[in-house]
Amino acid sequence: MRITIGALMISTLVLSSCGGWRDSRVNPTNWFGKSRETTNTVDENLNPLIPQEEEKTNLLGRKDDKGEDRSLPIAVIKDMRIERTSVGAILTVEGEAARNGAFDAKLVPADPQEPGQLEYTFRVTYPKKATYQGTVATRTIRAAVSLSNQDLAGVRVLRVVGKENARETRR
């Protein structure tokens, strides 16, 4: 009985000294900090009124919608989380669309990538027909992407860009 109580006392003392592990840089759950809002850089030479490409038409002169990417950057990035897994991490982003009905949410990798930085654009597709703006709850959309350990090798900054803002987290 004395050995059991002694072992229990020693294990309690050892476990109570491990409180610093939670805030340690060695702890894998602390590899990325909390996300914070940053400014979004916009190309000032880009004129949104001038089309970048010619419109494709079919034999009857109608617009050809096949293969056309109608997705746009989401209006506001509200939250970004990265959760470690056994094979890498899962990047989860929550955004607010400009109006109701947005669908096909995806995180598209930016091209080209800067060294040490992994950047994604949060894109959604809006319906062709006009929809109401609605409440914030009905416009909130989430998207996620799985990142392997190879994808995260050498990455110091994870950044997600929207239309009005961007969020990033650093190691």
Side-chain angles (χ1 to χ4, degrees):
M1 182 70 172
R2 272 195 302 180
I3 295 174
T4 306
I5 291 176
L8 183 62
M9 294 289 280
I10 291 172
S11 63
T12 303
L13 182 63
V14 168
L15 286 176
S16 67
S17 67
C18 293
W21 172 257
R22 177 183 63 213
D23 300 324
S24 170
R25 296 293 282 170
V26 180
N27 185 353
T29 59
N30 292 338
W31 285 356
F32 286 96
K34 293 186 177 184
S35 68
R36 60 181 175 269
E37 188 167 346
T38 61
T39 60
N40 190 6
T41 58
V42 178
D43 184 13
E44 294 179 10
N45 298 328
L46 181 67
N47 187 345
L49 300 177
I50 299 174
Q52 298 298 319
E53 296 180 5
E54 294 181 19
E55 294 181 8
K56 297 178 183 177
T57 58
N58 60 14
L59 291 174
L60 299 175
R62 297 182 186 146
K63 286 185 183 178
D64 189 13
D65 290 339
K66 293 182 183 178
E68 181 183 340
D69 184 19
R70 297 186 315 116
S71 65
L72 300 170
I74 197 159
V76 177
I77 307 282
K78 291 171 44 176
D79 187 30
M80 180 174 90
R81 290 185 317 270
I82 185 160
E83 298 169 8
R84 298 289 299 175
T85 63
S86 61
V87 294
I90 298 174
L91 174 65
T92 307
V93 182
E94 181 178 304
E96 183 180 315
R99 59 188 174 105
N100 276 344
F103 63 97
D104 194 22
K106 56 189 168 196
L107 294 171
V108 179
D111 199 32
Q113 295 285 347
E114 294 181 23
Q117 180 172 329
L118 196 56
E119 184 173 318
Y120 287 92
T121 304
F122 190 176
R123 300 183 72 84
V124 293
T125 304
Y126 291 100
K128 289 182 179 181
K129 295 181 180 179
T131 57
Y132 295 106
Q133 183 176 6
T135 63
V136 173
T138 60
R139 292 181 284 138
T140 300
I141 297 177
R142 290 176 188 84
V145 66
S146 178
L147 304 169
S148 66
N149 285 326
Q150 290 81 14
D151 295 336
L152 294 172
V155 173
R156 306 297 291 164
V157 177
L158 273 171
R159 180 179 169 91
V160 179
V161 178
K163 183 178 179 182
E164 297 177 10
N165 69 340
R167 291 191 78 86
E168 68 181 27
T169 182
R170 297 179 180 269
R171 277 192 193 203

